[in-house]
């Protein structure tokens, strides 16, 4: 009996175009680790590589009817990973330039009394959002950002793994970015 594991990539793609979920699963199982390894080698960040591969496979499913293979499925997928890595790197460069220009602007700026008041208000908002984090996440975040401890030092102090510390800090930053993004926008909109 022939299973999906035994059929060629070309046949899997044909089945995928027809909406066959089992063919999609077989493609995912054949290539997810190879693509993840390829993305990780380029990015040096396992979480980013994992996100990139997940987004690629989500896109593969949603755009399955539009897939045109010029050569092989593996070449198609590797090219898609390469393009996403390049887009990600380009985005990081733009983000870095923006942060650098913002830092240069703020270092050359002399704050007046009004701006000092706004800065205190903003710090109070940030402190409120930090206080709203789950207790363990808040503790790890504060040790990292306020006490300036390394992940290793935090892990030793709290008796948890460095990976847990890294994940807690990353999750705290995600939560704060979402919560403070809108707050900062409204704050700037109202004050200027």
């Amino acid at each position: 009996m022939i299973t999906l594991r035994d059929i060629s990539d070309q046949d899997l793609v044909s089945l995928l175009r027809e909406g066959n979920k089992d063919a999609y699963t077989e493609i995912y199982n054949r290539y997810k680790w190879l693509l993840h390894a390829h993305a990780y080698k380029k990015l040096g960040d396992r979480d980013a590589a994992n996100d990139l591969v997940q987004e690629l496979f989500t896109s593969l499913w949603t755009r399955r009817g539009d897939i045109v293979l010029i050569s092989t499925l593996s070449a198609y997928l590797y090219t898609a990973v390469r393009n996403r890595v390049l887009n990600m790197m380009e985005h990081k460069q733009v983000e870095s330039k923006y942060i650098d220009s913002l830092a240069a602007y703020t270092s050359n700026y002399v704050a007046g009394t009004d701006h000092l008041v706004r800065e205190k208000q903003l710090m109070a908002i940030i402190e409120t959002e930090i206080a709203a984090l789950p207790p363990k996440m808040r503790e790890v975040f504060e040790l990292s950002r306020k006490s300036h401890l390394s992940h290793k030092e935090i892990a030793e102090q709290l008796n948890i793994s460095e990976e847990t510390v890294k994940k807690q800090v990353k999750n705290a930053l995600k939560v704060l970015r979402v919560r403070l993004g809108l707050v900062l926008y409204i704050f700037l909109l109202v004050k200027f």
Side-chain angles (χ1 to χ4, degrees), residues 65-180:
D66 302 329
I67 296 172
V68 177
L69 294 184
I70 296 170
S71 59
T72 63
L73 176 60
S74 62
Y76 176 86
L77 294 172
Y78 275 98
T79 301
V81 166
R82 186 197 70 213
N83 290 340
R84 287 171 186 269
V85 165
L86 292 173
N87 288 343
M88 195 178 260
M89 289 176 167
E90 185 178 319
H91 177 74
K92 284 184 181 181
Q93 285 179 339
V94 168
E95 190 177 82
S96 178
K97 285 180 184 176
Y98 175 76
I99 289 170
D100 290 346
S101 70
L102 186 60
Y105 172 76
T106 57
S107 68
N108 294 327
Y109 182 73
V110 177
T113 306
D114 185 44
H115 296 288
L116 292 175
V117 170
R118 279 190 239 148
E119 185 179 327
K120 285 183 181 181
Q121 289 173 334
L122 182 57
M123 289 308 294
I125 291 169
I126 291 170
E127 287 301 322
T128 301
E129 291 302 330
I130 290 172
L133 291 171
K136 199 66 171 175
M137 184 185 292
R138 182 180 67 242
E139 182 180 14
V140 169
F141 183 77
E142 287 178 338
L143 287 171
S144 172
R145 293 306 193 259
K146 291 181 179 177
S147 299
H148 306 289
L149 297 179
S150 70
H151 289 177
K152 183 176 182 178
E153 292 169 327
I154 296 169
E156 289 172 358
Q157 184 173 332
L158 299 179
N159 226 5
I160 56 178
S161 73
E162 281 186 61
E163 191 61 35
T164 301
V165 171
K166 182 179 176 184
K167 197 169 251 184
Q168 288 286 10
V169 170
K170 183 178 180 181
N171 289 341
L173 288 171
K174 278 184 184 177
V175 169
L176 292 173
R177 190 177 310 126
V178 169
R179 289 183 184 169
L180 292 174

Side-chain angles (χ1 to χ4, degrees), residues 31-43 48-57 59-60 73-89:
Y31 289 102
K32 69 179 173 185
W33 295 116
L34 294 170
L35 296 174
H36 183 274
H38 183 61
Y40 175 68
K41 189 166 68 170
K42 300 292 184 192
L43 297 171
N50 190 45
D51 291 346
L52 185 143
V53 171
Q54 292 302 320
E55 289 170 10
L56 170 64
F57 277 105
S59 175
L60 184 69
L73 176 60
S74 62
Y76 176 86
L77 294 172
Y78 275 98
T79 301
V81 166
R82 186 197 70 213
N83 290 340
R84 287 171 186 269
V85 165
L86 292 173
N87 288 343
M88 195 178 260
M89 289 176 167

